[in-house]
Structure formats: C-alpha cells, structure tokens
Amino acid sequence: MTHESSTPGMEKDQQYERFMSLFMSSEQAIRIYVRSLLLSSQDVDDLMQNIGLACWHKFDQFDTEGSALDFTRWCCVISRFEVLQFRRSRARDRLVLSDEIIELLATHAEQHLEQSEAERRALRICLKKLAEPDRRLLLSTHTKGDSISRIASESNQKVRRLYSKVNIIRSQIADCVRANLSLGEPSS
Amino acid sequence: MSLSIQSLIRRYQDQQLNAEEVRKLENLLRADITSREIFRQETNLIATIEDIACEQGPDVSDAIVPMPKHLTQPPLVSPTRWVMATGWLVACIAASLLIATFASPSSNTTNDDIATIMGVNGPLQWTGNGGQVRSDLTVGMKLPGGTIDGVSPESWFSLQFDDGSVVVTSGNSMLAFSDLGQKILHLKAGRLSADVTPQPDGSPMLIHTRSAILEIVGTSFDIDTDLAATALNVTEGKVRVKRHSDGKLVDVPEQHQVIVAADQDLRVSQIPKVAYHWRSHLQDGPRRTHGRWLPGTSDQDPMLSCLPHVTEENKTIYTASFKVTVPDAAPVMTNRGTMINVRGRLDRATALYVGMTLKTTEGDFAGRFQVVLPSREFQPGAAFNHPLEIGKFTLDPALSARKDRFASSADELIVESIWCHTLYQQAGLAITSVELTEQSE
C-alpha cells in the first residue's frame, strides 16, 4: 500500500494547526501590543477576535520558514491596521492620540517586541517580590470585584492616598524591571 | 523631562488628560524617540499588570477578604485566559499549602535555621524556600536559608552563619544562601563582603556569580558582580576562583584582586592603595549609579534624576546615588580635609539630603552620614553647586539608636556610595556631578 499525497483538506488542517500553535504562543505579546495602542482592555477584548481572524485569512502570506518571533511581528503589523480601523469605527467620545502618533508608537513597539517580552517576564518576578498588600493594591484597579475604594474602606485609608501609593508602586515595579533587565535575562 | 512624560502617559492611560495635555503628549511623542520608548515601557507595564490581574481570576480579592462568592457568574475572560486563570487559582492553593508547610523566619531556632541576622539597614526582603516573602527583618532573627534582596542603594544586611562566618551585602543586591553541610551562596547581583571562618575539609564555602565560582576555605574578601564580570578583592587569606567561560582557575592571595570576565585576561594584581579623590562620570553612562540617567544634550550636561522609594518608615524619598569605591579601583577614603561637592538642580526649593555610606578599612559597615541643606539654599529651577566639608556630615538619625556600633565621625573611612535625596514630594532633583576632593591645609 502506498501513502497518498495529502489532500487539500488535510493541508488546510495542518496549516490551521500550525497557525493555532503559533498564534497561541504569540497571543499575549499581540494582545499587549494592541493594548499599548488602545485605551482600555475592554477594547482589546473586542478586537482580539478580529485580529485572530485577519491573521488566519492572511496566513498563507506568512513565510513558512519564519520563526515564532517573526510570526508575532507579522501579526503585530496586521493588528496595527485593525487597531486603526477600530479607532475610526468608534465614536470619538474620549481624548485619544492621533492616528499619526499611533503609527509612530506601533512602529516603535514592533521594533522592540523582544525587549517587551523580557520586561514582561521581569515584571512577573518583580510582582512576586512585592508585599501582599501592595500587590493587591496594584492589581486592584484591574481586578474584577476589587477596587481601590474597596481596599480604602477595608483598611480605613483615604482613596486619594491609595491612588498615589499605586503610582509609587508602579514606579517601584518599573525600577525593579529595569534593574532585573540590567542584570540579564530574568529567571523565575 | 522623562518624569513629566511618564506622568502624562499614566494619566493618558487613566483617561485623565484634557485636550491640551493630549496635544502636549503628542508633541513629545512625535519629536522624541525617548518619549516613545517611555510610552512603550509604561504601556507594556500597565498591560501586563492587567493581564496578571485577569489571570488571577475575576474575583481574586475574595481569597484575601471573605465576601459572598459569585461562582455562578460566567467567566468574564476569553476561554484561553480562563484556563490560565483556573491554573493560577490551582497554583495559588498549592502555594498557600506550601507556605503553610514551610518554616517561617522566627526568633526561635529550628532545625532548619542556619544563620542569624546581625545587622539590617534600609529596605530588604527575604524570600524563603517556600516562597514566603518578608520585609520585617530584625537583628537576631534566625533564617533557614533563602534569598535576601537589598532593594535600595542604602540597603545593608549582615548575616552570621552558625560557624561564625559573616557575609554582608550592601546596596541593590541579591544573595541566595544555603548550608546543607556546605555553604553555597549565589550572588546574583551587587556587592558582598565576607569574613569566613575555616571551613570543613572538602566543603569550602562556594560563591556562585554569573561569571565565576569562588571557593573559600577561610578568609576576608569583597565581591562586586554584575552581568558581565565579577571583581574580587582579597584582604586576608586566599580565594580560589574558577571562570565559567573557560574553566580557568586562579588563586588570589591576600591584598590582591582579580576581575573575572569572559573577555579579559584572568590577571591577579595587587590591591591599589587608597585614593582621596573621586568624581562621577555621568558622561560615560549610568554604570554604578542608581537613578534615571539622562544623556547630555548640546545645552545640558548629562544628569541623574531621582527615583522614588518608600522607606521602611513609610516615607517616600526621591533618591539618586553613585557607587564610589569599586573593587577594580583603589578604595576611596575620607580624611579630615575631605570636601564633597554636589552639583545639580532642583525644580522646587526643598531640603536636600546629601549623604555617604561608609565602611571601615576592614570592610564593616560604619554608618550613613549626611548633611541636610535647607530649602532656602536653593532657587527653583536653578542649578546649584554645594561644597560640603566632611566635618558637617553627621550620623543618619535613623541609626542613632545604635550609634555605638558605628563610627563617631565620617573621616578616615572608605566611601562606599554617595547619595542625594529629597523627602515626601518629587522636587525635580537631578544631579549633574559629585566630586570628592581633599582640601589643602
């Protein structure tokens, strides 16, 4: 018995599997890249599905020899256009940066994908080093069911003071990330 | 400039900017690649924090403060992220069990304890093997091993193993230590001094850095390590050093030093004599500084602006510092004629603290000595230049309760670092140069 050459359907399946494998490993980097160009994570949630589909529809244009980083960079370029389109489709009900600036920021972010990834790894390490109350405070503004007001009422502290503390913690974390990176690749 | 851009970016992300501020932010981002880089870093930070908060699950705070649970609510995150969140919760439960199982540092000795804290200063964090993190370290506390992080330039930590060997870390540093019949230390960053009692035959103390392994039988020495190199000064005894890159070994005798780096000869040389002059070199970059380094421009010198830091007394200070004595150069000493000259600028008139972290010629911490310059000596937005006599420096009041352990004056000591800070509010302090000179009689 001889093996039949793969059918177009099988090829498509293999291509889809390869796409999914690449996309899942790049998803966080793409998501954060998109988040850097939009003002809220809710917008990112709304857009990520479109980006996934757009990347899949164009996947046959992606160099089959390309690395995972090439794929991330390629998806970011596609995402950039999706972001611009998304911004235009939304009512300009809030103050946002112009398309020209978003393009500049997108180009800069695409050139520093590896650096951003290293920063994210370092940030996770730095976050573990924070005292638990500080960590909770920092995450509270982004955690469903938690908030600075809630922490303020639990701890009998002023909301305003906690907001300024969040700012200080952000700076500490940013310093920690820089320090980690200046020492080389962080390891967990 | 970087602080204002940082503040604009954060307020933009929090949707708090007005139209004029958005235009200002746009102008900065259009004109300057550094601003775009700060924007990338800030948004990467915020987005990652959001992601981590999301991974922790939709109601993580319930794990901390008992509240009615909403388990019937559908997940508010995508399936992939929900899987991650579920995994995270499982990991959290496992971690909690581990933390509950492992011994925590205490004032009581347990079988696991291997060393005692002999001195602490400035913000420090200990991470135990179970993942427990504590920052309330006190003298006399026993530790079962783990990692000590010095999280600011003024951090200092002294640890005595049960056999009497003492190791001291200072400044921003990270040291992991264990003793399961053989003392094994990993100095991941920073500066370490040690006085090691004779170790058991066949079990020398081992110190791993990124570039070398040091084998110590019993001696006194200093190490300063970063990503690319390890500098070792041996004051007493002998240390055997193995370079990671090629496995080459050298013995470093007392009063000798070596720099271990892949791209340099492994050459042992005599420790240089002391120096009484030193000056910062910000034009060469931010190496051996703590602060936000800003390169020079056509009309402005390079400068080191301050970074905020919360002290253990919950005060926020804005600080910048310079390492002065480094193992690959002569130790810098003070004498009665020493002058410290600080140049820089303050955006707002406020009291300026200028200080030195000092050690004895034997390598022991000798205290932090400082001068407080009152706000009336500064003009907002103007450059300042303050020569300070060594006799004006007094022991940091935070150390006064233990003043008998420290030097009585700041002269005749080795200058480990020089730092400047303002208290409570960002006053736009930026240092352009620091110089240590000897006043002619």
Side-chain angles (χ1 to χ4, degrees), chain B residues 407-423:
Chain B
S408 55
S409 68
D411 57 296
E412 305 300 335
L413 293 166
I414 292 173
V415 184
E416 195 157 274
S417 63
I418 296 180
W419 36 267
C420 303
H421 68 245
T422 58
L423 270 182

Side-chain angles (χ1 to χ4, degrees), chain A residues 98 108 116 119 124 129 144, chain B residues 26 37 40 55 58 125:
Chain A
S98 66
H108 186 83
S116 297
E119 285 171 8
R124 284 172 185 272
K129 293 181 187 170
K144 300 274 183 214
Chain B
E26 285 194 329
E37 173 60 10
R40 185 194 63 75
E55 284 167 22
Q125 279 187 341

Side-chain angles (χ1 to χ4, degrees), chain A:
Chain A
M1 202 171 94
T2 56
H3 285 290
E4 285 178 16
S5 60
S6 54
T7 63
M10 282 171 68
E11 275 178 15
K12 201 71 185 168
D13 284 351
Q14 283 169 358
Q15 199 183 15
Y16 186 70
E17 274 173 24
R18 175 162 158 73
F19 172 79
M20 282 309 289
S21 153
L22 285 166
F23 193 80
M24 285 180 77
S25 64
S26 301
E27 188 183 0
Q28 194 194 25
I30 301 165
R31 190 185 157 78
I32 286 178
Y33 164 85
V34 171
R35 173 67 182 86
S36 75
L37 306 177
L38 293 173
L39 259 184
S40 85
S41 56
Q42 185 60 51
D43 288 348
V44 182
D45 289 338
D46 292 349
L47 194 55
M48 277 307 283
Q49 196 173 4
N50 290 355
I51 288 170
L53 281 172
C55 293
W56 166 237
H57 288 147
K58 293 178 183 170
F59 189 53
D60 53 359
Q61 296 167 23
F62 176 67
D63 179 4
T64 50
E65 302 292 309
S67 66
L69 180 63
D70 293 334
F71 179 77
T72 307
R73 197 168 282 130
W74 180 77
C75 288
C76 286
V77 174
I78 293 171
S79 307
R80 180 205 292 215
F81 293 103
E82 292 292 323
V83 166
L84 290 170
Q85 213 169 0
F86 177 84
R87 283 160 47 93
R88 285 170 201 141
S89 70
R90 291 285 163 122
R92 299 293 291 266
D93 57 349
R94 57 192 174 199
L95 289 162
V96 291
L97 296 169
S98 66
D99 283 359
E100 176 219 346
I101 300 296
I102 292 293
E103 292 261 17
L104 279 174
L105 295 171
T107 305
H108 186 83
E110 281 156 31
Q111 289 164 351
H112 293 83
L113 286 173
E114 281 173 298
Q115 174 72 10
S116 297
E117 174 64 29
E119 285 171 8
R120 288 196 291 278
R121 281 200 298 272
L123 191 143
R124 284 172 185 272
I125 292 167
C126 291
L127 210 55
K128 283 182 193 162
K129 293 181 187 170
L130 277 184
E132 182 53 45
D134 287 356
R135 208 164 77 93
R136 180 187 166 195
L137 185 63
L138 182 68
L139 296 179
S140 66
T141 49
H142 311 292
T143 304
K144 300 274 183 214
D146 206 2
S147 67
I148 287 184
S149 320
R150 181 170 161 178
I151 294 172
S153 70
E154 282 169 17
S155 59
N156 226 355
Q157 293 190 65
K158 289 197 168 72
V159 170
R160 201 169 159 176
R161 187 174 177 278
L162 289 180
Y163 269 111
S164 71
K165 193 164 181 197
V166 166
N167 229 12
I168 291 166
I169 299 169
R170 272 185 187 175
S171 297
Q172 283 176 336
I173 283 281
D175 292 342
C176 172
V177 167
R178 271 190 287 275
N180 248 288
L181 293 179
S182 70
L183 298 173
E185 192 68 1
S187 56
S188 44

